[in-house]
Amino acid sequence: MKFQSQKIAYWFFAAAMLLLVLQIVYGFIMGFARIGMDGLHDWIPFNTARATHTNLLVFWLLLGFMGSAYFIIPEEADRELMWPKLAWIQLGSFLLVGVVALIGYHVNWWEGRKFLEIPRPLDYLVVVNVLAFLANIGLTVWNGKRYTTTSIVLYFGLLAAALLYLPGMIDFDNQTLDSFYRWWVVHLWVEGVWELIMGALLCYLLIKLTGVDRELVEKWLYIIVGLTFLSGILGTGHHYYYIGAPRYWLMVGGIFSALEPLAFLGMAIYALAMAKKGGRRHPNKAALNWTLGSAIMSFVGAGFLGFAHTLPQVNLWTHGSLVTAMHGHLAFWGAYAMIVLAMVAYVLPIMTGRKLWDNAAAGFAFWLSNIGMVGMTGALAVAGITQVNLERRMGLDFLAVQKEIEVHFIGMLLAASLFLVGIVCFLWNFWRFGLPSDEAVNSDVRAAERDLSRIESTPAAS
Amino acid sequence: MLSKYQARAFFLGGTAVFAGIFLVLTFDTHRQIPKQTNADQITPQVAAGKKIWEANNCMGCHTLFGEGAYYAPELTKVVERRGKDWIKVFIKDPEAMFPGQRKMVKYDFTDEQIDQIIAFLDWCGKVDLNGFPAEPPLKKLMQPAADTASNAGGELPPAVAATIPLPAMFEQKSCTGCHRILGKGMPGVMLPNAVTGEVVPAPALDLVFQRKTREELIAWISDPQKIKPGSPMPNLVPALVSPQEVEQMVDFLLGLKAHAPAN
């Protein structure tokens, strides 16, 4: 760590970790409700648990992205953050708005639009908050000593994410139009600009961890995010098949959704190729695991499992079933949760000066959480496919089918427990790292890394 | 091989082209949606229903147009499937309608609000969704079994049933949401018993006079859970059906004996 102001990232990450735990708790509440243990129904009905679970996910991922930006941007721009104090105010107010929204969900105060449940007055506060964030890192980039592709892509990813939040705030009396523009936010976030952010973080981590030449890594970053937008923008069409939009979306969405896995496949190959080229000699094995894991799991979860139900002929039966929840879990975990955890695993040793990167807890954290998440996805897949066959193909009553698939949620809860153990291991390490220290600024961890990148650096051969 | 400059051009150019196509398609879609969704039928009542739908995050459990949370049934065609009367009764006390099953929050909606929600769902059901939700293709194979099960009680010959007027309360109080009577009502509704898990059909009611006495029927309708714990038969008395109405229903059912063919 080179600059004092980068330390703010630690607090963004710490807040994100707390919210991750809370997200898991609400996941368990829903899992138990699905096997009939809904004792909390009077206080936390399913719709509250569900909105809280998904919003906590968005909330902690955004905190993770912002924390990453506060760490990366000063370093890439080679200067202190423009307004370090503003970053603190931004963190505090962002948490405050988020917590108020989450409490709101428990007292029936929300907007009731899937993933965008946050009540309208708070929407405006989010906008102000994000503007403060963008101004802070934007001016840091602008006034920096150098402009790097990584920081520019990261900045524009965050800026586009903020702009795309706005269409979700238009009011419509028509449910179809409402839904149409809601997907502008949700889809173009997670299958568009968030991938820009993810790509930039991946690129940064690969440069640091593999020591491969920056020019090469950044060149391929353009290709990857190029492929993402090429498929992802018109891929939005897979949300428009059956909501009352014109029929041509079936063709447009079908074709471009089929291309979406290619972008993720490209990303996975890119990460693995760079790691191979670099020889994987960086001592922070945990961070490298999470980085490569993210690239691979995002291909499996977002690319492959997404494609499993985006063909219109398939989607006619799976649309609105648990198959979507199956895809959603592994996609978000692989693409976004893991890349944030990779950043945390990379940043903590640098910030605290402690080298806790190759211990048992770090290994358990990685493997147990991943195996647990794959297990949860498997349980949801079996439940979803059974639901589709019994309810959509055979026409049995919804509740009768739900009774039939209860057993798979016991499996899901078991897998979720394994996942939780993995996350607890991760947090245990997080705790052991302690707080960021001033001595760590320009510490020997960093020096070692610079040596590594000198030794490993390869000329831009291709 | 590709230079960084070319890679950047690929990214910026590709994004610009596809974002452009997307905007053109959006413009066209925005133009076409009003017709495809019968936007002229969005009355203030429908719009008010949508506001209630959102203010209570109904999508947090249900799906509408296939979008939502998969915890509770898809509601796009619910008005067609259940009828307005059934929904009115159901929303007032969801747990009474599905005792022991997955719970829904009991909202204290006014009658006016319930009408608004139903108007909204009714409008949703008429939107052209490009074939969603599709008719279950294998239902044909299941139908004979379902019919046999729910008609286990037997029905009056259709020619006879057609001559008997069915009192409105059987539809208004949601009986026909599960049972068949005089050729009306949902065929083949089968729900699990909340205690045993056994899936039981709602029997046809035409010939119930052969199976039950007046006292048995009154006791059953008044408190099904007492007689058969976990039964999917809802407990609607006295909140939604008064004891007097129960007697009227039972008298009508027993009166069907006069129409039964002599054999």
Side-chain angles (χ1 to χ4, degrees):
Chain A
M1 186 170 59
K2 208 168 160 189
F3 301 101
Q4 286 291 340
S5 55
Q6 284 177 289
K7 280 195 288 189
I8 182 80
Y10 177 89
W11 299 103
F12 276 84
F13 291 149
M17 293 301 106
L18 274 180
L19 297 176
L20 165 61
V21 173
L22 210 54
Q23 191 206 349
I24 297 171
V25 170
Y26 277 84
F28 271 99
I29 291 174
M30 285 192 282
F32 279 111
R34 281 190 176 275
I35 60 169
M37 297 169 77
D38 55 356
L40 289 172
H41 173 80
D42 290 339
W43 300 278
I44 308 174
F46 191 89
N47 57 350
T48 295
R50 150 85 186 204
T52 309
H53 181 71
T54 52
N55 280 260
L56 274 168
L57 172 70
V58 176
F59 195 8
W60 83 259
L61 288 178
L62 287 177
L63 281 169
F65 292 161
M66 288 173 174
S68 302
Y70 280 133
F71 184 84
I72 293 175
I73 296 286
E75 183 177 308
E76 292 283 299
D78 204 17
R79 58 157 293 155
E80 290 281 356
L81 204 57
M82 196 74 192
W83 299 302
K85 280 215 181 73
L86 183 66
W88 279 102
I89 295 168
Q90 193 245 324
L91 172 63
S93 56
F94 195 63
L95 281 174
L96 188 68
V97 171
V99 169
V100 169
L102 294 174
I103 293 171
Y105 301 163
H106 291 71
V107 293
N108 208 26
W109 187 45
W110 42 21
E111 220 170 72
R113 297 159 73 233
K114 190 178 177 184
F115 304 125
L116 303 181
E117 286 89 350
I118 184 162
R120 189 53 54 92
L122 296 183
D123 272 336
Y124 297 110
L125 294 179
V126 171
V127 170
V128 173
N129 189 281
V130 171
L131 284 178
F133 164 73
L134 288 171
N136 204 352
I137 60 163
L139 283 175
T140 309
V141 173
W142 185 255
N143 294 320
K145 292 200 190 96
R146 57 175 193 164
Y147 304 104
T148 67
T149 300
T150 307
S151 63
I152 304 275
V153 171
L154 179 60
Y155 180 73
F156 279 100
L158 292 162
L159 179 69
L163 288 178
L164 282 169
Y165 190 66
L166 303 179
M169 291 168 62
I170 312 171
D171 270 319
F172 293 105
D173 285 338
N174 188 323
Q175 179 68 18
T176 297
L177 281 173
D178 193 306
S179 198
F180 186 86
Y181 288 102
R182 192 170 52 81
W183 287 116
W184 271 49
V185 188
V186 179
H187 175 94
L188 291 177
W189 264 19
V190 300
E191 281 159 80
V193 295
W194 277 27
E195 283 185 50
L196 217 58
I197 300 169
M198 183 217 172
L201 299 183
L202 187 66
C203 175
Y204 174 81
L205 286 164
L206 287 172
I207 291 170
K208 297 295 169 185
L209 292 170
T210 66
V212 176
D213 184 71
R214 175 184 283 273
E215 283 299 302
L216 184 66
V217 181
E218 288 184 341
K219 178 176 87 181
W220 284 100
L221 171 68
Y222 275 130
I223 302 293
I224 302 300
V225 294
L227 284 174
T228 300
F229 277 6
L230 195 146
S231 58
I233 294 176
L234 290 176
T236 315
H238 63 235
H239 298 288
Y240 297 158
Y241 298 161
Y242 305 120
I243 63 165
R247 198 163 256 284
Y248 54 69
W249 285 110
L250 271 70
M251 197 177 70
V252 175
I255 291 170
F256 286 89
S257 302
L259 296 175
E260 280 189 55
L262 290 182
F264 282 104
L265 183 63
M267 196 172 310
I269 293 172
Y270 162 71
L272 290 173
M274 294 303 158
K276 191 154 178 257
K277 204 176 178 73
R280 303 197 199 194
R281 273 186 233 152
H282 194 282
N284 192 344
K285 287 278 183 299
L288 190 63
N289 274 348
W290 284 106
T291 305
L292 298 182
S294 172
I296 292 167
M297 292 305 259
S298 64
F299 166 63
V300 178
F304 180 73
L305 293 182
F307 180 57
H309 69 138
T310 50
L311 281 179
Q313 298 87 332
V314 176
N315 195 255
L316 178 62
W317 307 106
T318 58
H319 180 52
S321 74
L322 286 163
V323 170
T324 312
M326 174 275 296
H327 154 64
H329 275 78
L330 200 63
F332 271 98
W333 169 249
Y336 302 119
M338 284 183 79
I339 199 74
V340 169
L341 297 182
M343 275 305 295
V344 173
Y346 171 73
V347 163
L348 281 184
I350 294 170
M351 223 174 239
T352 62
R354 308 184 71 180
K355 301 170 192 170
L356 294 168
W357 46 39
D358 201 12
N359 56 24
F364 279 127
F366 180 78
W367 289 107
L368 292 185
S369 60
N370 270 291
I371 293 168
M373 183 50 81
V374 169
M376 284 158 74
T377 306
L380 279 173
V382 180
I385 293 165
T386 309
Q387 182 195 8
V388 167
N389 278 315
L390 293 182
E391 190 188 327
R392 297 294 177 74
R393 307 277 300 172
M394 293 182 170
L396 298 188
D397 181 84
F398 179 88
L399 282 177
V401 174
Q402 292 295 310
K403 206 87 188 165
E404 288 298 308
I405 60 177
E406 252 183 38
V407 61
H408 304 304
F409 284 92
I410 297 175
M412 175 148 183
L413 285 167
L414 290 174
S417 306
L418 199 62
F419 175 77
L420 178 61
V421 174
I423 296 300
V424 167
C425 288
F426 192 90
L427 296 176
W428 167 239
N429 252 5
F430 193 103
W431 179 257
R432 286 201 306 165
F433 270 110
L435 299 177
S437 70
D438 287 338
E439 298 91 77
V441 177
N442 266 330
S443 73
D444 58 339
V445 178
R446 202 56 173 192
E449 196 172 88
R450 276 197 301 276
D451 290 344
L452 175 93
S453 88
R454 245 195 323 273
I455 298 161
E456 298 289 329
S457 149
T458 39
S462 45
Chain B
M1 185 74 198
L2 215 58
S3 71
K4 191 168 173 183
Y5 175 78
Q6 287 168 319
R8 183 165 50 209
F10 167 76
F11 166 59
L12 293 175
T15 302
V17 168
F18 287 100
I21 298 173
F22 185 66
L23 287 175
V24 170
L25 290 179
T26 294
F27 178 77
D28 182 68
T29 299
H30 199 107
R31 213 169 42 92
Q32 289 200 41
I33 281 179
K35 189 160 173 287
Q36 187 164 348
T37 58
N38 313 310
D40 53 322
Q41 289 167 30
I42 302 177
T43 59
Q45 198 187 22
V46 171
K50 178 174 179 281
K51 292 233 157 58
I52 298 172
W53 171 266
E54 285 170 4
N56 296 284
N57 193 17
C58 304
M59 245 189 194
C61 296
H62 291 280
T63 49
L64 184 67
F65 296 174
E67 298 179 335
Y70 334 120
Y71 187 70
E74 160 68 46
L75 295 184
T76 307
K77 300 273 180 197
V78 69
V79 175
E80 189 184 303
R81 190 166 71 235
R82 297 287 197 183
K84 293 180 182 179
D85 293 327
W86 189 93
I87 299 171
K88 270 183 207 167
V89 175
F90 170 78
I91 291 185
K92 290 199 168 159
D93 192 352
E95 280 181 45
M97 192 68 99
F98 291 110
Q101 306 283 344
R102 193 167 277 185
K103 288 177 188 150
M104 171 171 156
V105 176
K106 185 176 169 182
Y107 296 98
D108 294 318
F109 294 134
T110 63
D111 286 340
E112 190 193 2
Q113 287 174 315
I114 293 177
D115 286 339
Q116 289 166 341
I117 296 166
I118 292 174
F120 170 62
L121 293 172
D122 194 27
W123 171 82
C124 287
K126 289 171 184 147
V127 171
D128 174 6
L129 298 178
N130 299 333
F132 180 86
E135 188 57 31
L138 303 178
K139 199 171 180 174
K140 288 191 293 290
L141 303 174
M142 309 292 292
Q143 203 57 54
D147 282 349
T148 314
S150 66
N151 294 353
E155 291 187 84
L156 286 166
V160 178
T163 64
I164 309 168
L166 180 69
M169 68 169 89
F170 282 93
E171 283 171 297
Q172 284 163 3
K173 302 298 178 184
S174 79
C175 309
T176 49
C178 292
H179 293 281
R180 270 178 78 76
I181 176 164
L182 298 177
K184 294 204 170 74
M186 300 275 290
V189 170
M190 296 197 272
L191 286 169
N193 179 301
V195 175
T196 62
E198 182 198 5
V199 176
V200 282
L205 298 178
D206 293 9
L207 304 182
V208 73
F209 61 82
Q210 293 176 346
R211 309 189 292 272
K212 302 282 183 207
T213 66
R214 189 167 194 276
E215 288 67 36
E216 283 172 335
L217 281 173
I218 290 174
W220 169 248
I221 300 172
S222 302
D223 194 355
Q225 299 304 311
K226 196 167 141 197
I227 293 168
K228 207 184 278 178
S231 164
M233 169 83 177
N235 204 349
L236 304 177
V237 183
L240 299 161
V241 182
S242 70
Q244 291 79 4
E245 286 169 322
V246 175
E247 293 202 15
Q248 289 167 16
M249 282 178 183
V250 171
D251 287 338
F252 175 80
L253 290 172
L254 295 177
L256 290 174
K257 189 173 188 178
H259 301 276
N263 59 334

